[in-house]
Amino acid sequence: MTERQPLLLQSDASDYEGSRGSAARPVRSSPPNNTLVNVHSEDSLAVHAAASGSGDDEIGSTDKSSYNPTHHRDLEHPTSNFDTLVHLLKGNIGTGILAMPDAFKNAGLYVGLFGTMIMGAICTHCMHMLVNCSHELCRRFQQPSLDFSEVAYCSFESGPLGLRRYSMLARRIVTTFLFITQIGFCCVYFLFVALNIKDVMDHYYKMPVQIYLLIMLGPMILLNLVRNLKYLTPVSLVAALLTVAGLAITFSYMLVDLPDVHTVKPVATWATLPLYFGTAIYAFEGIGVVLPLENNMRTPEDFGGTTGVLNTGMVIVACLYTAVGFFGYLKYGDHVEGSITLNLPQGDTLSQLVRISMAVAIFLSYTLQFYVPVNIVEPFVRSHFDTTRAKDLSATVLRVVLVTFTFLLATCIPNLGSIISLVGAVSSSALALIAPPIIEVITFYNVGYGRFNWMLWKDVLILIFGLGGFVFGTWASLAQILNDRTH
């Protein structure tokens, strides 16, 4: 139903209203049915942080080491292992899987094949790192659960003394990248829908993609004025069913009359590899859903481990991504588009139905993606008004402005492959590859990094890999966007 979003719960109201009062706020790591894990306020985190900061010895004290956060979670509707696996798959599989053949085009058939598996392994390890840091920090601060931004905050708050002043900055940086990521997803969704509708209509009447974007703007604004998530549940179900049907039919087209592997490039040029990185990390960036899912499991100890829910789900995701990328690129070669649906036969009725069904599915899913950035910014906007009527009006205006903003971005960058690569390189790499190693290094500063400091060296290598992809991926994506606009 949703695509690698932080499960609609990354509201950061405490960043703006935490200083205005000490009212408790719910933990934002809830499942899609809005189950609350427990209630704790930012003030409580600050109190525990102050206690932790009184001495490094206290951090490793007996009472804190014996605290088990999973025993203190008050779950109204805990999820089973199977439910968690399904949510994990839905959180990772979306428009990114349709862009994998384009990623393989930028890497080459065999580089894409092995690179995607390696990328999946690294991203999965980073998810494990984040979960382990969350457990460690929950014990230190005696909290039942923490979300992504709270883990960043608590790691700095209990880390080296010189870094503790930056704990709130770390929290806001993670929140900002979550906002950028979700806004980027919304732009991709907007453009994906417009391009697929255009591809269908071009068979009858040709118009620029900007016209289709403009036609979509009104209905998209109206749909996103819905504030209650329970009204979106049927919408999500329809979107999920359409996505499954569209992917199944797309596979049936890809696997027919496959050419020989020698008809495509085994290795691409160095110049296009950063574009591959951006698209691949965009597709794998499901790290935002990991903590909410683990926090709301009936048996959270089954989430990690060699055969745990996380590894099982990510192996399935990696295999699907690799299969779509490999066979899609092999089938269409260098003519592959930013979405594999755009390569399906134009005059074929079944392929037209696939485009329409995927366009409708992504159109309906936009609202769920949009819920996250709205919940991050809306508390800040509402805090500037006094009356309830003014607060509600400002929230409505904010929704209209943000939807229009994603429309303008999609209009300015009408190349689907470029915008996916840019979103992946900028925000997805920051959340999936840069933040976890930094958080782990700071979290275990007082505990140790293992024999020969293996944890430190491993985190440094992942950090260098993430920073390299961030810099070169962003540069290559922007260069491609500017090059497309000048031609």
Side-chain angles (χ1 to χ4, degrees):
M1 297 186 298
T2 61
E3 179 188 349
R4 55 181 100 62
Q5 61 184 0
L7 298 184
L8 320 177
L9 301 154
Q10 291 295 340
S11 168
D12 228 23
S14 59
D15 281 356
Y16 310 111
E17 298 188 33
S19 59
R20 295 162 62 93
S22 58
R25 59 180 176 81
V27 175
R28 298 187 302 264
S29 51
S30 310
N33 58 9
N34 290 334
T35 303
L36 294 182
V37 177
N38 205 328
V39 175
H40 63 268
S41 66
E42 187 171 305
D43 290 339
S44 68
L45 286 178
V47 169
H48 285 287
S52 298
S54 61
D56 291 341
D57 293 337
E58 188 177 350
I59 292 176
S61 61
T62 305
D63 59 331
K64 292 185 180 181
S65 61
S66 62
Y67 179 85
N68 190 336
T70 63
H71 295 166
H72 297 267
R73 293 175 182 172
D74 184 17
L75 301 177
E76 184 180 350
H77 301 292
T79 56
S80 65
N81 290 358
F82 180 75
D83 292 337
T84 305
L85 177 62
V86 172
H87 289 316
L88 182 64
L89 293 175
K90 287 190 296 185
N92 280 275
I93 298 175
T95 54
I97 192 172
L98 301 173
M100 286 309 295
D102 184 56
F104 271 61
K105 179 183 71 174
N106 292 319
L109 189 66
Y110 295 117
V111 173
L113 175 64
F114 296 107
T116 302
M117 291 189 287
I118 293 172
M119 187 84 74
I122 295 175
C123 290
T124 303
H125 178 69
C126 288
M127 293 176 185
H128 281 288
M129 288 163 54
L130 188 62
V131 172
N132 292 337
C133 290
S134 175
H135 289 170
E136 174 68 22
L137 293 168
C138 282
R139 285 191 289 269
R140 288 185 197 175
F141 288 83
Q142 297 192 12
Q143 296 292 336
S145 61
L146 298 170
D147 66 19
F148 201 154
S149 59
E150 288 170 345
V151 168
Y153 171 85
C154 292
S155 65
F156 275 75
E157 196 66 35
S158 62
L161 291 174
L163 295 179
R164 296 183 183 182
R165 69 183 74 176
Y166 303 111
S167 56
M168 187 57 68
L169 176 63
R171 179 194 185 105
R172 288 176 175 166
I173 287 175
V174 170
T175 303
T176 299
F177 275 108
L178 285 169
F179 176 83
I180 294 172
T181 300
Q182 295 304 126
I183 286 292
F185 291 159
C186 290
C187 294
V188 171
Y189 279 30
F190 229 128
L191 188 57
F192 178 90
V193 175
L195 287 173
N196 278 273
I197 294 177
K198 179 182 183 301
D199 211 45
V200 173
M201 296 303 298
D202 278 353
H203 191 61
Y204 309 99
Y205 184 76
K206 291 190 176 183
M207 288 192 301
V209 67
Q210 287 80 2
I211 301 298
Y212 292 100
L213 287 168
L214 186 61
I215 293 172
M216 288 168 48
L217 180 59
M220 195 72 86
I221 289 176
L222 293 176
L223 186 62
N224 284 279
L225 292 180
V226 179
R227 299 183 185 181
N228 196 327
L229 282 179
K230 72 177 182 179
Y231 298 128
L232 299 177
T233 302
V235 171
S236 301
L237 179 60
V238 172
L241 293 175
L242 290 173
T243 301
V244 171
L247 284 175
I249 299 173
T250 301
F251 259 108
S252 69
Y253 276 101
M254 284 193 307
L255 298 178
V256 174
D257 297 329
L258 282 172
D260 190 84
V261 293
H262 300 295
T263 59
V264 294
K265 296 176 295 186
V267 179
T269 63
W270 285 100
T272 57
L273 275 179
L275 295 174
Y276 162 77
F277 172 87
T279 305
I281 197 63
Y282 170 93
F284 274 114
E285 205 282 294
I287 197 167
V289 307
V290 171
L291 289 180
L293 290 177
E294 192 270 345
N295 290 339
N296 289 278
M297 287 184 67
R298 183 182 295 114
T299 54
E301 60 273 8
D302 294 337
F303 189 73
T306 306
T307 58
V309 173
L310 179 57
N311 282 354
T312 302
M314 292 308 296
V315 166
I316 295 173
V317 169
C319 290
L320 281 174
Y321 279 13
T322 304
V324 173
F326 185 89
F327 292 114
Y329 178 51
L330 182 59
K331 173 74 172 180
Y332 299 107
D334 289 337
H335 300 291
V336 72
E337 299 286 346
S339 170
I340 191 64
T341 57
L342 300 177
N343 286 104
L344 301 181
Q346 205 172 35
D348 193 278
T349 303
L350 189 59
S351 67
Q352 301 288 52
L353 289 175
V354 170
R355 292 188 185 91
I356 293 173
S357 65
M358 293 300 293
V360 172
I362 298 303
F363 179 85
L364 297 176
S365 300
Y366 178 101
T367 306
L368 296 169
Q369 295 289 344
F370 184 74
Y371 194 89
V372 179
V374 164
N375 262 12
I376 291 175
V377 179
E378 187 174 315
F380 173 73
V381 174
R382 294 175 72 96
S383 66
H384 286 74
F385 299 90
D386 298 322
T387 65
T388 303
R389 186 167 180 267
K391 289 177 182 289
D392 291 341
L393 180 61
S394 66
T396 301
V397 172
L398 172 66
R399 288 172 177 267
V400 174
V401 169
L402 284 180
V403 172
T404 307
F405 178 66
T406 60
F407 156 76
L408 293 174
L409 286 179
T411 304
C412 294
I413 312 174
N415 187 321
L416 185 62
S418 298
I419 194 171
I420 286 178
S421 182
L422 180 63
V423 172
V426 173
S427 54
S428 299
S429 62
L431 293 175
L433 297 176
I434 297 176
I438 292 176
I439 290 173
E440 185 173 67
V441 168
I442 296 175
T443 298
F444 291 95
Y445 167 77
N446 294 294
V447 179
Y449 301 122
R451 189 177 184 184
F452 304 119
N453 290 327
W454 69 269
M455 184 186 294
L456 177 63
W457 291 110
K458 177 259 299 179
D459 288 342
V460 168
L461 290 176
I462 294 176
L463 182 60
I464 292 173
F465 177 68
L467 288 172
F470 178 91
V471 173
F472 292 109
T474 303
W475 171 79
S477 301
L478 290 174
Q480 187 180 57
I481 291 170
L482 295 175
N483 185 59
D484 290 342
R485 292 183 64 86
T486 55
H487 289 79

